[in-house]
Amino acid sequence: MIIGVSACLLGENCKYNGGNNESKKLKDYVKGHTVVPVCPEVMGGLPTPRDPAEIIGGVVRQKSGCSVDAEFRKGARAALKKVKDAGAELAILQSRSPSCGVKEIYDGSFTGHLVKGKGVFAAMLEEEGIRAMDVEDL
Ligand code: SF4
């Protein structure tokens, strides 16, 4: 199977704070499959490290209030194209990210509160009919 994967889960240091979310469980799960790594935020032209962002009223903003919505959407479109062009049927994504979150995201208050919802990239995958799975559900 061809599987799109949040690049930070594979150990790539593309997380907002310059680190990663390497997951042994994910790496074991995708063994024998073709993996297509994507980081929508980096693909949207954002630097690493970068200020954390949350979705507020449908717009992705940094804590300062500065909108990074255009970069998030540009990167999500590029990541979607990459996984679609590769023929991926499934994507396994990092939890709670404003790009990659599949089930829950932070509520926009930057206080750690979660709400049901999807990140920008996860929502685009769903619209395209590509199944997205939260890495914590492996
Ligand atoms: S955008 Fe997705 S792949 Fe990139 S660091 Fe955030 S969770 Fe990981």
Side-chain angles (χ1 to χ4, degrees):
M1 187 170 22
I2 302 166
I3 307 175
V5 176
S6 296
C8 57
L9 293 170
L10 297 164
E12 202 172 298
N13 291 328
C14 52
K15 196 175 162 178
Y16 73 91
N17 62 6
N20 64 66
N21 298 307
E22 187 166 10
S23 163
K24 185 178 179 312
K25 211 169 180 183
L26 175 275
K27 287 174 131 180
D28 287 345
Y29 184 86
V30 299
K31 265 182 200 153
H33 297 286
T34 301
V35 170
V36 184
V38 285
C39 176
E41 292 172 27
V42 169
M43 293 174 87
L46 292 166
T48 307
R50 55 190 170 272
D51 286 341
E54 297 189 3
I55 299 175
I56 307 160
V59 177
V60 190
R61 293 187 188 276
Q62 295 172 332
K63 199 174 180 180
S64 64
C66 178
S67 171
V68 280
D69 201 68
E71 290 87 346
F72 269 64
R73 290 183 196 284
K74 178 182 166 201
R77 283 194 300 273
L80 177 64
K81 182 174 182 341
K82 186 174 172 186
V83 299
K84 264 182 83 175
D85 288 354
E89 303 157 49
L90 171 68
I92 304 174
L93 304 179
Q94 168 63 12
S95 316
R96 297 176 288 278
S97 151
S99 290
C100 294
V102 172
K103 298 187 306 189
E104 293 175 313
I105 51 171
Y106 292 105
D107 70 355
S109 65
F110 293 89
T111 55
H113 288 117
L114 291 163
V115 289
K116 279 188 183 174
K118 290 184 191 303
V120 174
F121 176 48
M124 282 189 193
L125 285 168
E126 187 179 50
E127 282 166 20
E128 289 291 323
I130 299 172
R131 188 161 70 95
M133 182 190 277
D134 186 317
V135 67
E136 290 182 355
D137 288 339
L138 285 180

